[in-house]
Amino acid sequence: AMLRCVDCEVQDVWLGLPDGTRIFGRLYVPPHPPDRRPLPAVVVCHGYLANLGFMESPWAADLAKIGVVSLFIDRRGHGRSGGTWWPADEHTDSDNGLTGASLDVAAAVDYLRGRGDLVDPDRIALLG
């Protein structure tokens, strides 16, 4: 059974990579403060031969408790995501500041930066 935080909102999301690969993610949104101020966020990644469930159990509830939006992703070629572990173009120098970051991580950060209703685009971290 998946550990979901008690009073947060949980949304399944799909992210598209430039080559058409679909990346599965689960977004945890803690109770929003009354002033609706954008919250800090974190992209949470698992290791190889795992999936997002390995990271959800120890991290989802705690991140929500401290007021952080979290996006857990199934890395490319893992879990419900498509693609293979080692695509030829795995590393990229994109314009989002994540030089050398994996395309799936970059897509997750781009998604969070596009959620200005929830997320402060200048306060996004990576855990994993």
Side-chain angles (χ1 to χ4, degrees), residues 52-97:
L52 64 78
F54 281 76
M55 300 299 283
E56 271 180 316
S57 293
W59 290 104
D62 287 344
L63 288 167
K65 189 180 296 184
I66 62 171
V68 174
V69 174
S70 56
L71 177 57
F72 293 77
I73 61 170
D74 275 339
R75 298 293 306 274
R76 182 185 184 117
H78 294 78
R80 293 170 62 181
S81 292
T84 57
W85 294 2
W86 305 108
D89 62 349
E90 168 68 7
H91 297 286
T92 182
D93 291 327
S94 65
D95 60 3
N96 64 11

Side-chain angles (χ1 to χ4, degrees), residues 4-46:
R4 292 183 182 239
C5 49
V6 178
D7 51 0
C8 63
E9 182 183 343
V10 183
Q11 306 168 10
D12 287 351
V13 299
W14 287 95
L15 311 173
L17 301 188
D19 66 1
T21 300
R22 284 167 43 92
I23 299 297
F24 176 71
R26 192 166 290 127
L27 184 72
Y28 284 81
V29 181
H32 216 78
D35 61 7
R36 307 297 292 173
R37 187 178 37 205
L39 300 171
V42 62
V43 175
V44 185
C45 298
H46 58 78

